[in-house]
Amino acid sequence: MSTTRTLRFRVFRFNAETDYLPAYKIYDLEVDEHELMLDVLDKIKWTKDGSFSYRRSCRHGICGSCAIKVNGKSIIACKDNVFELADLFETDELIIEPSRTERAVKDLIVDKKDFWSKYDAVKPYLVAEIDEHPVKENLVTPEDAELINEADQCIQCGVCYYACPAVEVNPDFIGPAALAKAARFTTDVRDDAKLDRLEIVNELGKGIWDCVKCYECATACPKGVDPIGKITTLHNQTFEEDMAEDNVATRHAVGFKHAIARHGLLDETEIVRYSEGTFGMVKHIGVGLDMMRAGKVVMPWNMHNSKNLDEVKKLIKSSSTTTFKGK
Amino acid sequence: MSKLRYALFAGCTPKGSTPELMMATMAVAEKLGIELVELEAASCCGASHLQDFDDFLSVVLNARNLCYAEKEGLDMVTVCNTCQLNVAGANLRLKSDSKLKNSVNEKLAEVGLNYTGSVQVKHFLYAILEDYGLDNLAEQVVKPLREMNIAPFYGCHNIRPTDIAQDSNGGESPYMPTSLDNLIIALGGNSIDYESKNKCCGFHADLQAPHTSHALTGKALLDAKDNNADYMVTPCPLCHLNFDTQQKNAAKAAGREIGLPVLHLPQIIGLALGIEPKKLGLDKHVIDTQLA
Ligand code: SF4
Ligand code: SF4
Ligand code: FES
């Protein structure tokens, strides 16, 4: 016998055509231990209010259409179990909202144009000269296929995208899903547009350097795509392919190697100077003075080194795998 | 209870721009009888940035860091979420990927070291929680933080990604973290519930995308403030840098005054244990920590 529980759902209701403001409606429902959030949505529509609107299609975590937020957690509704969510949030009342309330069109349906246009920007398709009459197969080894497997699982649900704080405050940021898709193709041995894509994702203000490394995307993705991991791949490829521009972001990443080679530890003032350049330091003067007043600045002559620094230096020599020509 | 001993991975920021964190950590450890053996040979963890340039090098250097804890035969404690991410992250990768481990050990052999994977890496917060125990801690409290509304700010890298958190930080939930709340309560304080507590401070894009960084910093601070926080507390010195030294920039970005003092985790423990504020470095903040 399965157990049931009566839970309260506070549901975002809104019609962009008729409503000025959204309203949250309350539905008390008996829920079974096996039921998913999508079952709850169906129940509301089928037993409470036929006008309730949301997207769904496959019911199997494949189509990517059922993304919503429950108590702020970005999910696909056909995957997350209701009891588990209630237990996770230690509550009998769950709040159901669209992935991004600001983009709601009708109830849980959002206008996903922002997501798709960024997705388009990275050329989310294979670019290759295909021989229409091949005489032999175009072989991809299992090892090469393995490289793209994780990123290839993406179902474009937007769960990561609408969980990403950088997207929220920077509308230009391409975001985790599209960046993971870019990496999906830049690691594909058959693809010819690697450099084009790296150039697109490289751009300051939009691409890989605008990620804040919060790991929200990796945590939220229902398909194990690990978008931030793929962003790291793009960072690496940018240097490997010599596509890295000489700018504050690339110098900042490279600067760590120089800092560690020098002291073992990071000289925090020096990494800012190295990244920004001497003139770029001007905008940090205010913060710098505040920090100095508070006794937070280590003067260069007080900087000390890791013990056995020679080991660190040796390892940096022997284990470096990339170079940067910018500096 | 037998005496707790750990290898301390101090990290660059506690040795640099947040000296108060180092002072408070040592003072609290001493008071609680926890021995922290500082790994003086340790190098920078790479702060999640070195990996963008050279992932392999960053693993090799962190493997070396781990070797020093292995040599001491002690589990490692970090006092920074991002150190935790990088060192515990390298540990997890090396433990689960023997090919990587072999190629890293080839390099380490050149300097006479060998990584085996015998130590755990945990943030100081979880050493207190899991090993010292909150009940024990509560017994040591002499000045309960009674009148204080404290907003716990968890910081990303202690709770995400989940595989590392699970392996090292007792599997704290990224969606409903409780450790810091429980700690505040054990110290007699009142922990504030607010949406931003498990969100991002923006630190890692400070230079590359300052607008993003400041916006996130301001959002979290104001969320805490609007929920009646007197103080914010964080286990991460990088979050602290953004919240304290960048608070004015964040206020500018938000177009609102903020004025919220932000304390380090061991500072609130220290206050409750009756350690003198000066010994906890409470005078080394940009935003005044003394409430009028
Ligand atoms: S890690 Fe980067 S891409 Fe992923 S959610 Fe955070 S800011 Fe967005
Ligand atoms: S990466 Fe994951 S969360 Fe993001 S759109 Fe693809 S499947 Fe959804
Ligand atoms: S309905 Fe297709 S992914 Fe949920």
Side-chain angles (χ1 to χ4, degrees):
Chain A
M1 243 195 57
S2 61
T3 36
T4 60
R5 248 150 89 180
T6 302
L7 295 173
R8 171 161 289 193
F9 300 93
R10 201 175 274 273
V11 185
F12 180 94
R13 302 296 309 267
F14 178 64
N15 184 345
E17 277 178 9
T18 55
D19 301 341
Y20 185 68
L21 286 173
Y24 286 79
K25 287 215 175 128
I26 290 173
Y27 303 98
D28 294 321
L29 295 174
E30 179 142 320
V31 185
D32 183 272
E33 65 181 310
H34 302 296
E35 283 183 305
L36 306 171
M37 277 315 297
L38 185 55
D39 296 316
V40 169
L41 304 187
D42 286 341
K43 261 189 203 170
I44 296 173
K45 187 172 182 71
W46 295 340
T47 68
K48 305 278 184 188
D49 180 353
S51 75
F52 178 49
S53 305
Y54 50 97
R55 287 196 182 103
R56 56 117 177 79
S57 175
C58 71
R59 219 185 176 287
H60 283 286
I62 291 297
C63 72
S65 61
C66 65
I68 55 167
K69 278 188 180 158
V70 175
N71 282 28
K73 182 180 191 263
S74 197
I75 63 164
I76 50 174
C78 68
K79 192 164 184 253
D80 279 32
N81 176 282
V82 185
F83 276 27
E84 279 171 24
L85 280 170
D87 291 346
L88 171 65
F89 292 107
E90 295 167 17
T91 178
D92 287 333
E93 178 174 314
L94 290 168
I95 302 164
I96 303 180
E97 290 171 311
S99 318
R100 174 78 84 239
T101 49
E102 294 89 333
R103 301 193 67 87
V105 178
K106 179 127 198 299
D107 301 334
L108 304 184
I109 296 175
V110 293
D111 172 4
K112 235 171 119 178
K113 200 160 109 206
D114 57 334
F115 175 89
W116 293 116
S117 64
K118 289 167 183 181
Y119 201 74
D120 281 348
V122 302
K123 304 188 182 186
Y125 42 81
L126 191 77
V127 178
E129 288 279 342
I130 302 289
D131 182 356
E132 285 177 19
H133 306 286
V135 286
K136 62 178 178 53
E137 293 158 277
N138 198 351
L139 284 183
V140 176
T141 65
E143 291 76 34
D144 287 339
E146 189 53 40
L147 294 175
I148 61 169
N149 266 355
E150 238 179 40
D152 209 30
Q153 299 297 317
C154 175
I155 55 171
Q156 295 106 44
C157 61
V159 160
C160 59
Y161 180 82
Y162 292 112
C164 172
V167 167
E168 223 179 314
V169 299
N170 173 11
D172 292 332
F173 180 45
I174 297 173
L179 291 173
K181 186 55 74 181
R184 148 74 184 78
F185 287 104
T186 58
T187 38
D188 190 323
V189 290
R190 302 164 300 176
D191 188 67
D192 291 333
K194 184 174 187 177
L195 300 186
D196 280 356
R197 290 198 183 84
L198 288 177
E199 199 177 326
I200 295 164
V201 303
N202 236 330
E203 201 182 321
L204 283 189
K206 292 184 170 176
I208 49 177
W209 302 110
D210 285 63
C211 159
V212 291
K213 295 171 182 282
C214 67
Y215 288 78
E216 290 274 11
C217 53
T219 309
C221 173
K223 304 299 283 185
V225 169
D226 184 21
I228 164 87
K230 305 302 169 284
I231 292 172
T232 306
T233 303
L234 293 171
H235 284 128
N236 292 163
Q237 289 176 341
T238 299
F239 287 109
E240 284 157 19
E241 298 293 335
D242 200 17
M243 291 292 289
E245 279 170 37
D246 190 354
N247 61 34
V248 61
T250 54
R251 286 194 299 268
H252 187 247
V254 178
F256 273 83
K257 175 171 160 178
H258 290 276
I260 296 171
R262 200 150 153 216
H263 297 290
L265 300 173
L266 181 72
D267 178 337
E268 293 166 288
T269 313
E270 176 56 19
I271 188 79
V272 178
R273 199 203 57 78
Y274 188 93
S275 311
E276 293 279 20
T278 308
F279 290 119
M281 286 295 270
V282 173
K283 57 176 168 291
H284 299 289
I285 287 176
V287 171
L289 286 176
D290 280 350
M291 290 176 71
M292 217 172 289
R293 250 177 260 127
K296 287 174 158 297
V297 177
V298 179
M299 291 301 164
W301 51 89
N302 285 331
M303 196 54 214
H304 69 263
N305 295 344
S306 299
K307 230 168 90 184
N308 304 348
L309 183 60
D310 53 316
E311 285 175 13
V312 175
K313 291 188 176 190
K314 242 189 188 163
L315 287 173
I316 289 182
K317 272 223 173 79
S318 71
S319 310
S320 289
T321 60
T322 24
T323 52
F324 179 52
K325 302 195 184 68
K327 226 178 174 172
Chain B
M1 189 165 66
S2 65
K3 189 171 170 144
L4 292 173
R5 292 186 77 216
Y6 301 97
L8 173 67
F9 182 89
C12 307
T13 297
K15 303 285 276 184
S17 58
T18 56
E20 70 279 7
L21 171 58
M22 196 64 186
M23 294 164 69
T25 303
M26 295 323 259
V28 164
E30 196 195 320
K31 189 94 184 177
L32 296 178
I34 300 173
E35 192 180 340
L36 298 176
V37 182
E38 190 182 336
L39 298 173
E40 285 173 0
S43 68
C44 170
C45 72
S48 85
H49 294 292
L50 179 60
Q51 68 187 44
D52 294 347
F53 177 49
D54 197 329
D55 185 57
F56 181 68
L57 178 62
S58 124
V59 177
V60 169
L61 292 173
N62 281 316
R64 176 181 169 276
N65 289 332
L66 287 157
C67 283
Y68 276 91
E70 292 186 356
K71 272 194 188 181
E72 297 284 345
L74 293 173
D75 282 340
M76 192 193 268
V77 150
T78 59
V79 289
C80 166
N81 290 26
T82 298
C83 293
Q84 178 65 24
L85 168 79
N86 287 281
V87 187
N91 205 21
L92 183 61
R93 274 171 77 183
L94 290 162
K95 279 192 287 183
S96 44
D97 182 347
S98 56
K99 220 171 108 196
L100 178 67
K101 182 173 145 186
N102 289 341
S103 43
V104 165
N105 268 336
E106 255 170 53
K107 301 294 178 193
L108 290 175
E110 295 163 17
V111 295
L113 294 170
N114 183 53
Y115 166 88
T116 64
S118 61
V119 298
Q120 278 269 356
V121 184
K122 58 171 91 175
H123 189 285
F124 190 55
L125 169 61
Y126 300 91
I128 299 267
L129 232 80
E130 292 165 7
D131 303 342
Y132 191 86
L134 283 189
D135 293 342
N136 280 334
L137 182 67
E139 275 171 29
Q140 308 295 318
V141 170
V142 294
K143 284 193 178 161
L145 309 176
R146 250 192 284 276
E147 306 302 323
M148 284 160 75
N149 283 338
I150 306 176
F153 188 85
Y154 282 83
C156 298
H157 297 158
N158 257 0
I159 55 175
R160 288 180 295 266
T162 37
D163 55 346
I164 300 176
Q166 221 121 54
D167 186 58
S168 48
N169 281 346
E172 175 108 273
S173 163
Y175 295 105
M176 273 289 279
T178 52
S179 58
L180 209 45
D181 290 83
N182 292 340
L183 185 109
I184 291 168
I185 294 163
L187 299 175
N190 180 22
S191 95
I192 298 284
D193 194 20
Y194 67 118
E195 230 177 72
S196 301
K197 69 175 171 186
N198 56 353
K199 299 286 188 293
C200 180
C201 74
F203 177 83
H204 288 284
D206 247 354
L207 299 180
Q208 307 89 319
H211 44 284
T212 295
S213 187
H214 295 156
L216 294 177
T217 305
K219 229 172 126 187
L221 284 166
L222 285 165
D223 189 12
K225 182 119 183 149
D226 292 344
N227 282 285
N228 291 323
D230 300 319
Y231 288 92
M232 184 187 259
V233 65
T234 175
C236 179
L238 304 183
C239 296
H240 191 273
L241 279 179
N242 256 24
F243 288 141
D244 184 52
T245 69
Q246 298 284 351
Q247 193 172 121
K248 289 180 195 163
N249 283 331
K252 225 181 277 161
R256 271 178 67 187
E257 292 259 329
I258 302 179
L260 185 69
V262 184
L263 304 191
H264 297 277
L265 164 79
Q267 286 179 324
I268 61 161
I269 303 177
L271 285 174
L273 296 178
I275 301 172
E276 232 179 282
K278 223 178 154 106
K279 272 199 181 161
L280 299 169
L282 281 160
D283 53 340
K284 292 191 182 302
H285 290 229
V286 170
I287 305 299
D288 195 354
T289 55
Q290 198 162 20
L291 288 180

